[in-house]
Amino acid sequence: MDESKLFQEAVSDVKPLEAVARVDLKKNAQDAVTQAERRQSAIKTLERDPNHLSTDYVEMVKPYDILEFKKAGVQEGVFRKFRLGKYQIDARLDLHHKTVDQSRREVFQFIEDCMKYDLRTVMILHGKGEKEATPALLKSWVNKWLPEIDDVLAYHSAQRQHGGTGAVYVMLRKSERKKQETREKHGLKGGH
C-alpha cells in the first residue's frame, strides 16, 4: 500500500478542532469614529500647511506693554507717522474671544488676504486679556507672529482712539504690482 493511502486511512476518523477566538473583538461606533479621526489627522499631517507661524514657546508681554517692531529700510519719518496712527487703516482683524490656534490661522490668512488686495496699513485687535487667566496671551502671540511674516515691515501698538495697547497697527510691504504702478506714475524705469 502506498504511503498516501495509509496516511488517509490513519486520519480518516480525525475531526478538526473547533477554532476558539483568542481575542474578543467587539467593535463599536466609537472605534470607527476614532479611527476616522486618526486617519483625517494623518492626512492633514501629510498635507503641507502653508501657515509657518510658530506654535512653540512665546515670551509673554504685559497687558499695557507697547509693542513695536520695524524692519531695516523703513524710514523714520514714515514709521513715526505710522505709529501715531496718521495712515488710513485699510482693514481690521478682531481676535477677541478667539483661541490661540484660531488666532494663528486668522492672522496668517488676514495678512495673506491684505497682500492679495494691496492693502498697506491694517490693524489687529488682540485685546489686553486683563480679565483672562493668562493676561495678554493673544497680544504676546501676535507680537511673536508678526515678525515671522515677510510681508510685515513694521507694527506698533495703536493710539488710544484705535484701541491703545489692545490693538496694533501693521505696515505691509508694497506688492510688486503696486511698485510697478508707482514707477510708471513717476516715470521711473522698470527694474526691481
Side-chain angles (χ1 to χ4, degrees), residues 62-151:
K62 294 182 178 120
Y64 292 98
D65 284 354
I66 292 179
L67 303 183
E68 181 176 33
F69 168 82
K70 177 175 76 85
K71 284 186 177 173
V74 176
Q75 297 171 349
E76 284 303 320
V78 170
F79 187 67
R80 185 179 323 106
K81 189 174 174 183
F82 166 74
R83 69 181 175 82
L84 292 173
K86 302 286 187 189
Y87 291 112
Q88 175 184 322
I89 297 166
D90 298 321
R92 286 176 176 77
L93 172 65
D94 190 347
L95 298 177
H96 287 90
H97 309 293
K98 304 274 190 231
T99 65
V100 170
D101 193 47
Q102 290 169 331
S103 297
R104 178 182 171 268
R105 286 191 306 272
E106 290 201 23
V107 165
F108 182 80
Q109 192 59 56
F110 177 67
I111 300 297
E112 292 267 306
D113 292 344
C114 289
M115 291 304 297
K116 184 169 142 185
Y117 293 106
D118 293 317
L119 305 180
R120 297 291 312 279
T121 304
V122 299
M123 182 186 297
I124 297 175
L125 295 102
H126 46 66
K128 299 175 198 151
E130 296 171 284
K131 299 174 182 102
E132 303 298 322
T134 309
L137 180 63
L138 289 182
K139 180 177 182 171
S140 299
W141 280 106
V142 167
N143 191 44
K144 179 175 178 100
W145 292 328
L146 289 177
E148 295 176 357
I149 302 173
D150 290 337
D151 295 323

Coordinates of all heavy atoms in Angstrom, one line a residue, residues 62-151:
K62 N 3.1 92.2 28.9 CA 2.1 92.6 29.8 C 1.0 93.3 29.1 O 1.2 93.9 28.0 CB 2.7 93.5 30.9 CG 3.7 92.8 31.7 CD 4.3 93.7 32.8 CE 5.3 92.9 33.7 NZ 6.6 93.4 33.7
P63 N -0.2 93.3 29.7 CA -1.4 94.0 29.1 C -1.1 95.4 28.6 O -1.7 95.8 27.5 CB -2.5 93.9 30.1 CG -2.1 92.7 31.0 CD -0.6 92.7 31.0
Y64 N -0.3 96.2 29.3 CA -0.2 97.6 28.9 C 1.2 97.9 28.2 O 1.5 99.0 28.0 CB -0.4 98.5 30.1 CG -1.8 98.5 30.6 CD1 -2.2 97.7 31.7 CD2 -2.8 99.2 29.9 CE1 -3.5 97.6 32.0 CE2 -4.1 99.2 30.3 CZ -4.5 98.4 31.4 OH -5.8 98.3 31.8
D65 N 1.9 96.8 27.9 CA 3.2 97.0 27.2 C 2.9 97.5 25.8 O 1.9 97.1 25.2 CB 4.0 95.7 27.1 CG 4.6 95.2 28.4 OD1 4.6 96.0 29.3 OD2 5.2 94.1 28.4
I66 N 3.8 98.4 25.3 CA 3.7 98.9 23.9 C 4.5 97.9 23.0 O 5.7 97.7 23.3 CB 4.2 100.3 23.8 CG1 3.2 101.2 24.6 CG2 4.3 100.8 22.4 CD1 3.6 102.7 24.6
L67 N 3.8 97.5 22.0 CA 4.5 96.6 21.0 C 5.1 97.5 19.9 O 4.4 98.4 19.4 CB 3.5 95.6 20.4 CG 2.8 94.7 21.4 CD1 1.9 93.7 20.6 CD2 3.7 94.0 22.3
E68 N 6.3 97.1 19.5 CA 7.0 97.9 18.5 C 8.0 97.1 17.7 O 8.7 96.3 18.3 CB 7.7 99.1 19.2 CG 8.4 100.0 18.2 CD 9.1 101.2 18.9 OE1 9.5 101.0 20.1 OE2 9.1 102.3 18.3
F69 N 7.9 97.2 16.4 CA 8.8 96.4 15.5 C 9.0 97.2 14.2 O 8.0 97.7 13.7 CB 8.2 95.0 15.2 CG 8.9 94.3 14.2 CD1 10.1 93.6 14.4 CD2 8.4 94.2 12.9 CE1 10.8 92.8 13.4 CE2 9.1 93.5 11.9 CZ 10.2 92.8 12.1
K70 N 10.2 97.2 13.7 CA 10.5 97.9 12.4 C 11.6 97.2 11.7 O 12.7 97.1 12.3 CB 10.8 99.4 12.7 CG 11.1 100.2 11.4 CD 11.3 101.7 11.7 CE 12.6 102.0 12.4 NZ 13.7 102.2 11.5
K71 N 11.4 96.8 10.5 CA 12.5 96.2 9.7 C 13.4 97.3 9.2 O 13.0 98.5 9.0 CB 11.9 95.4 8.5 CG 11.3 94.1 8.9 CD 10.9 93.3 7.7 CE 10.4 91.9 8.1 NZ 9.8 91.2 7.0
A72 N 14.6 96.9 8.9 CA 15.6 97.9 8.4 C 15.0 98.3 7.0 O 14.4 97.6 6.3 CB 16.9 97.2 8.2
G73 N 15.2 99.6 6.7 CA 14.7 100.2 5.4 C 13.5 101.0 5.6 O 13.1 101.7 4.7
V74 N 12.8 100.8 6.7 CA 11.6 101.6 6.9 C 12.0 103.0 7.4 O 12.7 103.1 8.5 CB 10.6 101.0 7.9 CG1 9.4 101.9 8.2 CG2 10.1 99.6 7.4
Q75 N 11.7 104.1 6.7 CA 12.2 105.4 7.1 C 11.6 105.8 8.4 O 10.5 105.6 8.7 CB 11.8 106.4 6.0 CG 12.5 106.1 4.6 CD 11.9 107.0 3.5 OE1 10.9 107.7 3.7 NE2 12.6 106.9 2.4
E76 N 12.4 106.6 9.2 CA 12.0 107.0 10.5 C 10.7 107.9 10.4 O 9.8 107.8 11.2 CB 13.1 107.8 11.2 CG 14.2 106.9 11.8 CD 13.7 105.8 12.8 OE1 12.8 106.2 13.6 OE2 14.1 104.7 12.7
G77 N 10.7 108.8 9.4 CA 9.5 109.7 9.3 C 8.3 108.9 9.0 O 7.2 109.2 9.5
V78 N 8.4 107.9 8.1 CA 7.2 107.1 7.8 C 6.8 106.3 9.0 O 5.6 106.2 9.3 CB 7.6 106.1 6.6 CG1 6.6 105.1 6.4 CG2 7.9 106.9 5.3
F79 N 7.8 105.8 9.8 CA 7.4 105.0 10.9 C 6.8 105.9 12.0 O 5.8 105.4 12.7 CB 8.7 104.3 11.5 CG 8.4 103.3 12.6 CD1 7.7 102.2 12.4 CD2 8.8 103.6 13.9 CE1 7.4 101.3 13.5 CE2 8.5 102.8 15.0 CZ 7.8 101.6 14.7
R80 N 7.3 107.1 12.2 CA 6.7 108.0 13.2 C 5.2 108.3 12.8 O 4.3 108.2 13.7 CB 7.5 109.3 13.2 CG 7.0 110.3 14.3 CD 7.8 111.6 14.4 NE 9.3 111.4 14.2 CZ 9.9 111.8 13.0 NH1 9.2 112.4 12.1 NH2 11.2 111.6 12.9
K81 N 5.0 108.6 11.6 CA 3.6 108.9 11.1 C 2.7 107.7 11.3 O 1.6 107.7 11.7 CB 3.6 109.3 9.7 CG 2.3 109.9 9.1 CD 2.5 110.4 7.7 CE 1.2 110.8 7.1 NZ 1.3 111.3 5.7
F82 N 3.3 106.5 11.0 CA 2.6 105.2 11.1 C 2.2 104.9 12.6 O 1.0 104.7 12.9 CB 3.5 104.1 10.6 CG 3.1 102.7 10.9 CD1 2.0 102.1 10.3 CD2 3.8 102.0 11.8 CE1 1.6 100.8 10.6 CE2 3.4 100.7 12.2 CZ 2.3 100.1 11.5
R83 N 3.2 105.1 13.5 CA 2.9 104.7 14.9 C 1.9 105.7 15.6 O 1.3 105.4 16.5 CB 4.2 104.6 15.7 CG 4.9 105.8 16.0 CD 6.2 105.5 16.8 NE 7.0 106.7 16.9 CZ 6.8 107.6 17.8 NH1 5.9 107.5 18.7 NH2 7.6 108.7 17.9
L84 N 1.8 106.9 15.0 CA 0.9 107.9 15.5 C -0.5 107.8 14.9 O -1.4 108.6 15.2 CB 1.5 109.4 15.2 CG 2.7 109.7 16.0 CD1 3.3 111.1 15.6 CD2 2.4 109.7 17.5
G85 N -0.7 106.7 14.1 CA -2.0 106.5 13.5 C -2.4 107.4 12.4 O -3.6 107.6 12.2
K86 N -1.5 108.0 11.7 CA -1.8 109.0 10.7 C -2.1 108.4 9.3 O -2.6 109.1 8.5 CB -0.6 110.0 10.5 CG -0.1 110.7 11.8 CD -1.1 111.8 12.2 CE -0.5 112.5 13.4 NZ -1.5 113.5 13.9
Y87 N -1.9 107.1 9.2 CA -2.2 106.5 7.9 C -3.6 105.9 8.0 O -4.0 105.4 9.0 CB -1.2 105.4 7.5 CG 0.1 105.9 7.1 CD1 1.2 105.7 8.0 CD2 0.3 106.7 6.0 CE1 2.5 106.2 7.6 CE2 1.6 107.2 5.6 CZ 2.6 106.9 6.5 OH 3.9 107.4 6.2
Q88 N -4.3 105.9 6.8 CA -5.7 105.3 6.8 C -5.6 103.8 7.0 O -4.7 103.1 6.5 CB -6.3 105.5 5.4 CG -7.6 104.8 5.2 CD -8.2 105.0 3.8 OE1 -8.0 106.1 3.2 NE2 -8.8 104.0 3.3
I89 N -6.4 103.3 7.9 CA -6.4 101.8 8.2 C -7.3 101.2 7.2 O -8.5 101.4 7.1 CB -6.9 101.6 9.6 CG1 -6.0 102.2 10.6 CG2 -7.1 100.1 9.9 CD1 -6.5 102.3 12.0
D90 N -6.7 100.3 6.4 CA -7.5 99.7 5.2 C -8.3 98.5 5.6 O -9.2 98.1 4.9 CB -6.4 99.2 4.2 CG -5.7 100.4 3.6 OD1 -6.3 101.5 3.4 OD2 -4.5 100.3 3.3
A91 N -7.9 97.8 6.7 CA -8.7 96.6 7.2 C -8.4 96.3 8.6 O -7.3 96.7 9.2 CB -8.3 95.4 6.3
R92 N -9.3 95.6 9.3 CA -9.1 95.3 10.7 C -9.4 93.8 10.9 O -10.3 93.3 10.3 CB -10.1 96.1 11.6 CG -9.8 97.5 11.7 CD -10.9 98.3 12.5 NE -10.6 99.6 12.8 CZ -10.6 100.6 11.9 NH1 -11.0 100.3 10.7 NH2 -10.3 101.8 12.2
L93 N -8.7 93.2 11.8 CA -8.9 91.8 12.3 C -9.1 91.9 13.8 O -8.3 92.3 14.5 CB -7.7 90.9 11.9 CG -7.8 89.5 12.5 CD1 -9.0 88.7 11.9 CD2 -6.5 88.8 12.2
D94 N -10.3 91.4 14.2 CA -10.6 91.3 15.7 C -10.4 89.9 16.2 O -11.1 89.0 15.7 CB -12.0 91.8 15.9 CG -12.4 92.0 17.4 OD1 -11.6 91.6 18.2 OD2 -13.4 92.6 17.6
L95 N -9.5 89.7 17.1 CA -9.2 88.4 17.7 C -9.9 88.2 19.0 O -9.7 87.1 19.6 CB -7.7 88.2 17.8 CG -6.9 88.3 16.5 CD1 -5.4 88.2 16.8 CD2 -7.3 87.2 15.6
H96 N -10.7 89.1 19.5 CA -11.3 88.9 20.8 C -12.1 87.6 20.8 O -12.8 87.3 19.8 CB -12.3 90.1 21.1 CG -11.5 91.4 21.5 ND1 -11.1 92.3 20.5 CD2 -11.1 91.8 22.7 CE1 -10.5 93.3 21.1 NE2 -10.5 93.0 22.5
H97 N -12.1 86.9 21.9 CA -12.8 85.6 22.1 C -12.3 84.5 21.2 O -13.1 83.5 20.9 CB -14.3 85.8 21.9 CG -14.9 87.0 22.7 ND1 -14.9 87.0 24.1 CD2 -15.4 88.2 22.4 CE1 -15.4 88.1 24.5 NE2 -15.7 88.9 23.5
K98 N -11.1 84.6 20.7 CA -10.6 83.6 19.8 C -9.5 82.8 20.6 O -8.9 83.3 21.5 CB -9.9 84.1 18.6 CG -10.7 85.0 17.7 CD -11.5 84.2 16.7 CE -12.2 85.1 15.7 NZ -13.5 84.8 15.5
T99 N -9.3 81.5 20.3 CA -8.2 80.7 20.9 C -6.9 81.1 20.2 O -6.9 81.8 19.2 CB -8.5 79.2 20.7 OG1 -8.4 78.9 19.3 CG2 -9.8 78.8 21.3
V100 N -5.8 80.6 20.8 CA -4.5 80.9 20.2 C -4.5 80.2 18.8 O -4.0 80.9 17.8 CB -3.4 80.4 21.1 CG1 -2.0 80.4 20.4 CG2 -3.3 81.2 22.4
D101 N -5.0 79.0 18.7 CA -4.9 78.3 17.4 C -5.8 79.0 16.4 O -5.3 79.2 15.2 CB -5.4 76.9 17.6 CG -5.1 76.0 16.4 OD1 -3.9 76.1 15.9 OD2 -6.0 75.3 15.9
Q102 N -7.0 79.5 16.7 CA -7.8 80.2 15.8 C -7.1 81.5 15.4 O -7.1 81.9 14.2 CB -9.2 80.5 16.5 CG -10.1 79.4 16.7 CD -11.3 79.7 17.6 OE1 -11.2 80.6 18.4 NE2 -12.4 79.0 17.4
S103 N -6.5 82.2 16.4 CA -5.9 83.5 16.1 C -4.7 83.3 15.1 O -4.5 84.1 14.2 CB -5.4 84.1 17.4 OG -6.5 84.4 18.2
R104 N -3.9 82.2 15.3 CA -2.8 81.9 14.5 C -3.3 81.8 13.0 O -2.7 82.3 12.1 CB -2.1 80.6 14.9 CG -1.0 80.2 14.1 CD -0.4 78.9 14.6 NE 0.6 78.3 13.7 CZ 0.3 77.5 12.7 NH1 -0.9 77.0 12.6 NH2 1.2 77.0 11.9
R105 N -4.3 81.0 12.8 CA -4.9 80.8 11.5 C -5.4 82.1 10.9 O -5.2 82.5 9.7 CB -6.0 79.8 11.5 CG -5.5 78.3 11.6 CD -6.6 77.3 11.3 NE -7.8 77.5 12.1 CZ -8.0 77.0 13.3 NH1 -7.1 76.2 13.9 NH2 -9.1 77.2 14.0
E106 N -6.1 82.9 11.7 CA -6.7 84.1 11.2 C -5.7 85.2 10.9 O -5.8 85.9 9.9 CB -7.8 84.6 12.2 CG -9.0 83.7 12.2 CD -10.2 84.4 12.8 OE1 -10.3 85.6 12.8 OE2 -11.1 83.6 13.2
V107 N -4.7 85.3 11.7 CA -3.6 86.3 11.5 C -2.9 86.0 10.2 O -2.7 86.8 9.3 CB -2.6 86.4 12.6 CG1 -1.3 87.1 12.2 CG2 -3.2 87.0 13.9
F108 N -2.6 84.7 10.0 CA -1.9 84.3 8.7 C -2.8 84.6 7.5 O -2.3 85.2 6.6 CB -1.6 82.8 8.8 CG -0.9 82.3 7.6 CD1 0.5 82.5 7.5 CD2 -1.5 81.6 6.6 CE1 1.2 82.0 6.4 CE2 -0.9 81.1 5.5 CZ 0.5 81.3 5.4
Q109 N -4.0 84.2 7.6 CA -5.0 84.4 6.4 C -5.2 85.9 6.2 O -5.3 86.3 5.1 CB -6.3 83.6 6.7 CG -7.1 83.5 5.4 CD -6.4 82.9 4.3 OE1 -5.9 81.8 4.4 NE2 -6.3 83.6 3.1
F110 N -5.4 86.6 7.3 CA -5.6 88.1 7.2 C -4.5 88.8 6.4 O -4.8 89.5 5.5 CB -5.8 88.7 8.6 CG -6.0 90.2 8.6 CD1 -7.2 90.7 8.1 CD2 -5.0 91.0 9.2 CE1 -7.4 92.1 8.2 CE2 -5.2 92.4 9.3 CZ -6.4 92.9 8.8
I111 N -3.3 88.5 6.8 CA -2.1 89.1 6.1 C -2.1 88.7 4.6 O -1.8 89.5 3.7 CB -0.8 88.8 6.8 CG1 -0.8 89.4 8.3 CG2 0.4 89.4 6.0 CD1 -1.0 90.9 8.4
E112 N -2.3 87.4 4.4 CA -2.4 86.9 3.0 C -3.4 87.6 2.2 O -3.1 88.1 1.1 CB -2.7 85.4 3.0 CG -1.7 84.5 3.6 CD -0.7 84.0 2.5 OE1 -1.2 83.4 1.5 OE2 0.5 84.2 2.7
D113 N -4.6 87.8 2.8 CA -5.7 88.5 2.1 C -5.3 90.0 1.8 O -5.6 90.5 0.8 CB -7.0 88.4 2.8 CG -7.6 87.0 2.9 OD1 -7.1 86.1 2.0 OD2 -8.4 86.7 3.7
C114 N -4.8 90.6 2.8 CA -4.4 92.0 2.7 C -3.4 92.2 1.6 O -3.5 93.1 0.8 CB -3.8 92.5 4.0 SG -5.0 92.7 5.3
M115 N -2.4 91.3 1.5 CA -1.4 91.4 0.4 C -2.1 91.2 -1.0 O -1.7 91.8 -1.9 CB -0.3 90.3 0.6 CG 0.6 90.6 1.8 SD 1.4 92.3 1.7 CE 2.4 92.1 0.3
K116 N -3.0 90.3 -1.0 CA -3.7 90.0 -2.3 C -4.5 91.2 -2.8 O -4.5 91.4 -4.0 CB -4.7 88.8 -2.0 CG -5.5 88.3 -3.2 CD -6.2 87.0 -2.8 CE -7.5 86.9 -3.4 NZ -8.3 85.8 -2.9
Y117 N -5.0 92.0 -1.8 CA -5.7 93.2 -2.2 C -4.9 94.5 -2.1 O -5.5 95.6 -2.1 CB -7.0 93.3 -1.4 CG -8.0 92.2 -1.7 CD1 -8.1 91.1 -0.8 CD2 -8.7 92.2 -2.9 CE1 -9.0 90.1 -1.1 CE2 -9.5 91.2 -3.2 CZ -9.7 90.1 -2.4 OH -10.5 89.1 -2.7
D118 N -3.6 94.4 -2.0 CA -2.7 95.5 -2.0 C -3.0 96.5 -0.8 O -2.8 97.7 -1.0 CB -2.7 96.3 -3.3 CG -2.1 95.4 -4.4 OD1 -1.1 94.8 -4.2 OD2 -2.7 95.4 -5.5
L119 N -3.3 96.0 0.3 CA -3.6 96.9 1.5 C -2.2 97.1 2.2 O -1.4 96.2 2.2 CB -4.6 96.2 2.5 CG -5.9 95.8 1.8 CD1 -6.8 95.2 2.9 CD2 -6.6 97.0 1.2
R120 N -2.0 98.3 2.7 CA -0.7 98.7 3.2 C -0.7 98.8 4.7 O 0.2 98.5 5.4 CB -0.2 99.9 2.6 CG 0.1 99.9 1.1 CD 1.3 99.0 0.7 NE 2.5 99.2 1.5 CZ 3.4 100.2 1.3 NH1 3.2 101.1 0.4 NH2 4.4 100.2 2.1
T121 N -1.8 99.5 5.3 CA -1.8 99.7 6.7 C -3.1 99.1 7.3 O -4.2 99.4 6.8 CB -1.9 101.2 7.0 OG1 -0.7 101.9 6.4 CG2 -1.8 101.5 8.5
V122 N -2.9 98.1 8.1 CA -4.1 97.3 8.7 C -3.9 97.3 10.2 O -2.9 97.7 10.8 CB -4.1 95.9 8.1 CG1 -4.3 96.0 6.6 CG2 -2.9 95.1 8.4
M123 N -4.9 96.8 10.9 CA -4.9 96.8 12.3 C -5.4 95.4 12.8 O -6.3 94.8 12.2 CB -5.9 97.8 12.9 CG -5.9 97.9 14.4 SD -7.1 99.0 15.1 CE -6.5 100.5 14.5
I124 N -4.8 94.9 13.9 CA -5.2 93.7 14.5 C -5.5 94.1 16.0 O -4.7 94.6 16.7 CB -4.1 92.6 14.5 CG1 -3.7 92.3 13.0 CG2 -4.5 91.4 15.3 CD1 -2.6 91.3 12.9
L125 N -6.8 93.7 16.3 CA -7.2 94.0 17.7 C -7.1 92.7 18.5 O -7.8 91.7 18.2 CB -8.7 94.4 17.7 CG -8.9 95.8 17.0 CD1 -9.5 95.6 15.6 CD2 -9.9 96.6 17.8
H126 N -6.1 92.6 19.3 CA -5.8 91.4 20.1 C -6.3 91.4 21.5 O -6.3 90.4 22.2 CB -4.3 91.1 20.1 CG -3.4 92.3 20.4 ND1 -3.4 92.9 21.6 CD2 -2.6 93.0 19.6 CE1 -2.6 94.0 21.5 NE2 -2.1 94.1 20.3
G127 N -6.6 92.6 22.0 CA -7.0 92.8 23.4 C -5.8 92.8 24.3 O -4.7 92.5 23.9
K128 N -6.1 93.0 25.6 CA -5.1 93.1 26.6 C -5.2 91.8 27.5 O -4.2 91.5 28.2 CB -5.3 94.3 27.5 CG -5.1 95.6 26.7 CD -5.4 96.8 27.6 CE -5.7 98.0 26.8 NZ -6.5 99.0 27.5
G129 N -6.4 91.2 27.5 CA -6.5 90.0 28.3 C -6.4 90.2 29.8 O -6.1 89.3 30.5
E130 N -6.8 91.4 30.2 CA -6.7 91.8 31.7 C -7.5 90.8 32.6 O -7.1 90.6 33.7 CB -7.2 93.2 31.9 CG -6.3 94.2 31.2 CD -7.0 95.6 31.3 OE1 -7.9 95.8 30.5 OE2 -6.5 96.4 32.1
K131 N -8.7 90.4 32.1 CA -9.6 89.6 32.9 C -9.4 88.1 32.7 O -10.1 87.3 33.2 CB -11.0 90.0 32.6 CG -11.3 91.5 33.0 CD -12.7 91.9 32.5 CE -12.9 93.4 32.9 NZ -12.8 94.2 31.7
E132 N -8.4 87.7 31.8 CA -8.2 86.3 31.5 C -7.3 85.7 32.5 O -6.5 86.3 33.2 CB -7.6 86.2 30.1 CG -8.4 86.9 29.0 CD -9.8 86.2 28.8 OE1 -9.9 85.0 29.0 OE2 -10.8 87.0 28.6
A133 N -7.3 84.3 32.5 CA -6.4 83.6 33.4 C -4.9 83.9 33.0 O -4.1 83.9 33.9 CB -6.7 82.1 33.2
T134 N -4.6 84.0 31.7 CA -3.3 84.3 31.3 C -3.4 85.7 30.6 O -3.7 85.8 29.4 CB -2.8 83.3 30.2 OG1 -3.0 82.0 30.8 CG2 -1.3 83.5 29.9
P135 N -3.1 86.8 31.3 CA -3.2 88.1 30.7 C -2.3 88.3 29.5 O -1.2 87.7 29.5 CB -2.7 89.0 31.9 CG -2.9 88.2 33.1 CD -2.7 86.8 32.7
A136 N -2.8 89.0 28.5 CA -2.0 89.4 27.3 C -1.6 88.1 26.5 O -0.6 88.2 25.8 CB -0.9 90.3 27.6
L137 N -2.3 87.1 26.6 CA -1.9 85.8 25.8 C -1.9 86.1 24.3 O -0.9 85.9 23.7 CB -2.8 84.7 26.2 CG -2.5 83.3 25.5 CD1 -1.1 82.9 25.9 CD2 -3.5 82.3 25.8
L138 N -3.0 86.5 23.8 CA -3.1 86.8 22.3 C -2.1 87.9 21.9 O -1.5 87.8 20.9 CB -4.5 87.1 21.9 CG -5.5 85.9 21.9 CD1 -6.8 86.3 21.4 CD2 -4.9 84.7 21.1
K139 N -2.0 88.9 22.7 CA -1.1 90.0 22.5 C 0.3 89.5 22.3 O 1.0 89.9 21.4 CB -1.2 91.0 23.6 CG -0.3 92.2 23.4 CD -0.5 93.2 24.5 CE 0.3 94.5 24.3 NZ 0.0 95.5 25.3
S140 N 0.7 88.6 23.2 CA 2.0 88.0 23.2 C 2.3 87.2 21.9 O 3.3 87.3 21.3 CB 2.3 87.1 24.4 OG 2.1 87.9 25.6
W141 N 1.3 86.4 21.5 CA 1.4 85.6 20.3 C 1.5 86.5 19.1 O 2.3 86.2 18.2 CB 0.3 84.6 20.2 CG 0.5 83.4 21.1 CD1 0.0 83.0 22.2 CD2 1.5 82.3 20.8 NE1 0.5 81.9 22.7 CE2 1.4 81.4 21.9 CE3 2.4 82.1 19.8 CZ2 2.2 80.3 21.9 CZ3 3.2 81.0 19.9 CH2 3.1 80.1 20.9
V142 N 0.6 87.5 19.0 CA 0.7 88.4 17.8 C 2.0 89.1 17.8 O 2.6 89.2 16.7 CB -0.5 89.5 18.0 CG1 -0.3 90.6 17.0 CG2 -1.8 88.8 17.7
N143 N 2.6 89.5 18.9 CA 3.9 90.0 19.0 C 5.0 89.1 18.4 O 6.0 89.5 17.9 CB 4.2 90.5 20.4 CG 5.5 91.3 20.5 OD1 5.7 92.2 19.7 ND2 6.3 91.0 21.5
K144 N 4.8 87.8 18.6 CA 5.7 86.8 18.1 C 5.5 86.5 16.7 O 6.5 86.4 15.9 CB 5.6 85.5 18.9 CG 6.5 84.4 18.5 CD 6.4 83.1 19.3 CE 7.3 82.0 18.8 NZ 8.5 81.9 19.5
W145 N 4.3 86.4 16.2 CA 4.0 86.0 14.8 C 4.3 87.1 13.8 O 4.8 86.8 12.7 CB 2.5 85.7 14.7 CG 2.1 84.4 15.4 CD1 2.8 83.3 15.7 CD2 0.8 84.2 16.0 NE1 2.1 82.4 16.4 CE2 0.8 82.9 16.6 CE3 -0.4 84.9 16.1 CZ2 -0.2 82.3 17.2 CZ3 -1.5 84.3 16.8 CH2 -1.4 83.0 17.3
L146 N 4.0 88.3 14.1 CA 4.1 89.4 13.1 C 5.6 89.5 12.5 O 5.7 89.6 11.3 CB 3.6 90.7 13.6 CG 2.1 90.8 13.7 CD1 1.7 92.2 14.3 CD2 1.4 90.5 12.4
P147 N 6.6 89.4 13.3 CA 8.0 89.5 12.7 C 8.3 88.2 11.9 O 9.2 88.3 11.1 CB 8.9 89.5 13.9 CG 8.0 90.0 15.1 CD 6.7 89.5 14.8
E148 N 7.5 87.1 12.0 CA 7.8 85.9 11.3 C 7.2 86.0 9.9 O 7.4 85.1 9.0 CB 7.1 84.7 12.0 CG 7.8 84.4 13.3 CD 7.0 83.2 14.0 OE1 6.0 82.7 13.5 OE2 7.5 82.8 15.1
I149 N 6.4 87.1 9.6 CA 5.8 87.2 8.3 C 6.6 88.2 7.4 O 6.7 89.4 7.8 CB 4.3 87.7 8.4 CG1 3.5 86.7 9.3 CG2 3.7 87.9 7.1 CD1 2.1 87.2 9.7
D150 N 7.1 87.7 6.3 CA 8.0 88.5 5.5 C 7.3 89.8 5.0 O 8.0 90.8 4.8 CB 8.5 87.7 4.2 CG 9.4 86.6 4.6 OD1 10.1 86.7 5.7 OD2 9.5 85.6 3.8
D151 N 6.0 89.8 4.8 CA 5.3 90.9 4.2 C 5.1 92.0 5.3 O 4.7 93.1 4.9 CB 3.9 90.5 3.7 CG 4.1 89.6 2.4 OD1 5.0 89.8 1.7 OD2 3.3 88.6 2.3

